[in-house]
Amino acid sequence: MELFFSQILDGLSIGSVLLLTATGLAIVFGLMGVINLAHGEFMMLGAYITFVVQNLFRPMGGLVFELYFPVALVAAFFVTAIFGVVLERTLIRKLYGRPLETLLATWGVSLILIQLIRSISTSMVIGIAAAVAIGFFGGQFLSKKIGDRPAFPYLNGVMWAAAVGIGLAVVNSFSSMRALASPWFGPRNIDVTAPKWLQGSWGVIGGIQLPGLRIFIILLSAVLLLFVMWFLTKSVWGLRIRAVTQNRQMSNCLGIPTDSVDSITFGLGSGLAGVAGCAITLLGSVGPNLGAAYIVSCFMVIVLGGVGNLLGTVFASLILGIIQSVVGSGSLLTAFPGMPPAAKSVVEFFATTSMSLVLVFIFIIAFLQFRPNGMFPQKGRSVDA
């Protein structure tokens, strides 16, 4: 029985990670209707930012190294939030109202980020910086000269194409220098060492050890969820986000800067995914394909809980996390050895990670037959829009 409750605790920690990731995705989808397939890669970026911060603090050792994880949490949030804002302003904003194009574009961004993490090196960073600088300043120069002429978009496109070519030439020129051309991370998984204050047990309840790592993840998710609820209900920008969610046209007429609301919302959702990636490094090795392993589960959480509903996201993420942990680990067989043979064969059939995910799909399909809008369907004018 202790193993069973231990697996429930593991499921709560996995569900907490899903909660962090799915909360950001639910806010973005509920406000803008954007299906962001690159959201899982924001989570992956947060994990790699944690790895980088750890390596920066490691030479310092001692007490300073023990403080790296709070710094990594803050860095993961802000870096991924900034990246999300840039993505929204440069790509997503041009595709509003075109869900298929947005779906394909964000899928392409996810593939680019995966390959970028596998291949990024110093020479590649120099080439990207050169291409962006040439394209940006070249576009500014053209805008001042012929910004009002019909040929400007075409010439600006040619300028960016030339900038990309120059960037590739810069990367190729440094390819012979191993120190600059060597990948920073490569395709292999990376490991993050948890600080000592997160290792070991934080107490015992009913003979069950409470692992510090998992308790910390659960508490972190609870704190961030409370922050998101406060932000959406009490802050000025949170009220604006809720207004735009209810009625974008009326909010725009009342002077609410809907473009800024979209950027802040996308940045907030991306930042939460980065924090989730930081937290997942405490549970095991992470790699470039980390996002692909969680994005499907995040969409299942949103569908089960109800689009744009935080309370539904909380319940759905915890339910799915517990199902995957308890059923996938096979602890039900240990906790209840006297179950009937028919039930035992069913439990054994689903007692793997992949098959537990299949069971979750079956559960969601059956649930949606009775409540097609999720546990907590959205209410208000946005439902009729």
Side-chain angles (χ1 to χ4, degrees), residues 31-225:
L31 174 66
M32 297 182 286
V34 173
I35 302 176
N36 180 20
L37 291 183
H39 195 77
E41 276 57 52
F42 292 152
M43 185 179 180
M44 180 262 294
L45 286 179
Y48 276 87
I49 291 169
T50 306
F51 178 73
V52 171
V53 173
Q54 171 198 250
N55 290 342
L56 292 176
F57 274 70
R58 190 183 296 278
M60 304 176 189
L63 181 61
V64 177
F65 177 74
E66 295 299 315
L67 298 176
Y68 90 85
F69 199 79
V71 176
L73 284 172
V74 176
F77 178 84
F78 282 104
V79 172
T80 52
I82 292 172
F83 189 88
V85 170
V86 172
L87 179 63
E88 191 276 333
R89 287 183 176 271
T90 57
L91 179 63
I92 303 297
R93 181 169 296 182
K94 302 179 185 300
L95 300 175
Y96 285 144
R98 299 158 62 185
L100 180 59
E101 288 87 340
T102 305
L103 189 71
L104 294 175
T106 54
W107 180 54
V109 170
S110 69
L111 296 178
I112 291 172
L113 289 177
I114 292 172
Q115 190 58 43
L116 182 66
I117 288 296
R118 289 174 175 171
S119 307
I120 190 169
S121 60
T122 304
S123 61
M124 185 178 293
V125 171
I126 296 174
I128 293 174
V132 171
I134 294 172
F136 177 78
F137 289 110
Q140 293 294 319
F141 175 78
L142 289 177
S143 178
K144 292 179 181 179
K145 296 295 183 181
I146 57 171
D148 56 343
R149 297 184 181 180
F152 170 71
Y154 303 100
L155 293 177
N156 192 36
V158 172
M159 176 64 70
W160 275 102
V164 171
I166 294 174
L168 292 175
V170 171
V171 174
N172 186 60
S173 64
F174 286 111
S175 60
S176 59
M177 303 174 64
R178 178 170 297 182
L180 297 180
S182 298
W184 292 352
F185 309 113
R188 297 183 179 180
N189 287 0
I190 58 173
D191 294 299
V192 172
T193 303
K196 292 182 180 178
W197 54 276
L198 285 177
Q199 299 177 9
S201 174
W202 280 11
V204 179
I205 296 181
I208 301 173
Q209 299 264 339
L210 301 179
L213 295 176
R214 301 190 180 276
I215 297 299
F216 174 79
I217 292 174
I218 295 172
L219 294 177
L220 175 66
S221 300
V223 170
L224 287 179
L225 179 64

Side-chain angles (χ1 to χ4, degrees), residues 14-15 17-43 92 99-100 102-107 110 266 269 273 290-309 312-318 320-321 324 357 360-361 363-365 367-368 371-375:
I14 296 174
V17 174
L18 282 177
L19 174 61
L20 287 175
T21 311
T23 297
L25 193 60
I27 293 173
V28 171
F29 186 68
L31 174 66
M32 297 182 286
V34 173
I35 302 176
N36 180 20
L37 291 183
H39 195 77
E41 276 57 52
F42 292 152
M43 185 179 180
I92 303 297
L100 180 59
T102 305
L103 189 71
L104 294 175
T106 54
W107 180 54
S110 69
F266 210 88
L290 170 67
Y294 279 88
I295 187 65
V296 175
S297 297
C298 291
F299 278 112
M300 287 195 296
V301 167
I302 293 175
V303 171
L304 181 61
V307 176
N309 191 291
T313 303
V314 173
F315 279 99
S317 58
L318 296 181
L320 295 189
Q324 292 185 44
L357 193 60
V360 170
F361 272 112
F363 169 73
I364 292 177
I365 292 172
F367 181 84
L368 293 179
R371 295 186 65 88
N373 294 324
M375 289 188 292

Side-chain angles (χ1 to χ4, degrees), residues 4-19:
F4 176 72
F5 285 109
S6 176
Q7 290 299 325
I8 290 181
L9 185 61
D10 292 347
L12 289 175
S13 61
I14 296 174
S16 298
V17 174
L18 282 177
L19 174 61

